[in-house]
């Protein structure tokens, strides 16, 4: 089943500046460190079916980068977008 989600907030130009690991979990998340420095768009998404009301961040440059975080919460502080999940904190510069 495909996850249906709705866009809560859209950031048309961001740059991923940092990923901080919070746990010693061995979750396989691929090579997310390679995403640091990339620019693209960020979407705060809200699950409508699988985990109703849960939010995650989708980051893409529409060609080589397509990444979704786990569920968590986000904040916007000045020119920063911060997504905190159970395992990591993702920090973006809003451009």
């Amino acid at each position: 089943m495909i996850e249906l989600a709705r866009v809560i907030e859209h950031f048309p130009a961001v740059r991923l500046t940092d990923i901080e690991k919070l746990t010693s979990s061995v979750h396989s998340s691929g090579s997310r460190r390679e995403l640091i420095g990339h620019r693209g768009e960020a979407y705060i998404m809200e699950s409508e079916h699988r985990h109703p009301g849960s939010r995650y961040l989708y980051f893409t440059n529409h060609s080589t980068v397509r990444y979704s975080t786990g569920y968590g919460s986000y904040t916007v502080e000045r020119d920063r977008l911060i997504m905190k999940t159970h395992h990591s904190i993702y920090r973006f510069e809003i451009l």
Side-chain angles (χ1 to χ4, degrees), residues 1-15:
M1 179 179 188
I2 296 174
E3 167 73 65
L4 297 176
R6 68 183 181 105
V7 176
I8 297 299
E9 198 161 351
H10 173 232
F11 299 88
V14 298
R15 182 174 63 87

Side-chain angles (χ1 to χ4, degrees), residues 4-84:
L4 297 176
R6 68 183 181 105
V7 176
I8 297 299
E9 198 161 351
H10 173 232
F11 299 88
V14 298
R15 182 174 63 87
L16 181 59
T17 59
D18 183 52
I19 302 172
E20 178 183 344
K21 191 172 181 181
L22 297 176
T23 65
S24 58
S25 169
V26 290
H27 281 35
S28 174
S29 58
S31 55
R32 20 181 225 178
R33 286 260 172 228
E34 292 179 9
L35 298 173
I36 293 174
H38 280 272
R39 294 173 182 234
E41 294 184 71
Y43 299 84
I44 302 298
M45 307 297 293
E46 183 173 88
S47 175
E48 293 185 321
H49 296 288
R50 194 177 299 170
H51 299 281
S54 296
R55 294 181 176 180
Y56 63 95
L57 184 142
Y58 178 67
F59 175 56
T60 183
N61 68 3
H62 301 286
S63 63
T64 59
V65 175
R66 292 177 182 88
Y67 184 80
S68 294
T69 68
Y71 294 111
S73 60
Y74 77 102
T75 57
V76 178
E77 301 170 358
R78 289 187 227 146
D79 63 345
R80 300 278 178 219
L81 166 62
I82 302 165
M83 180 68 179
K84 183 177 181 181

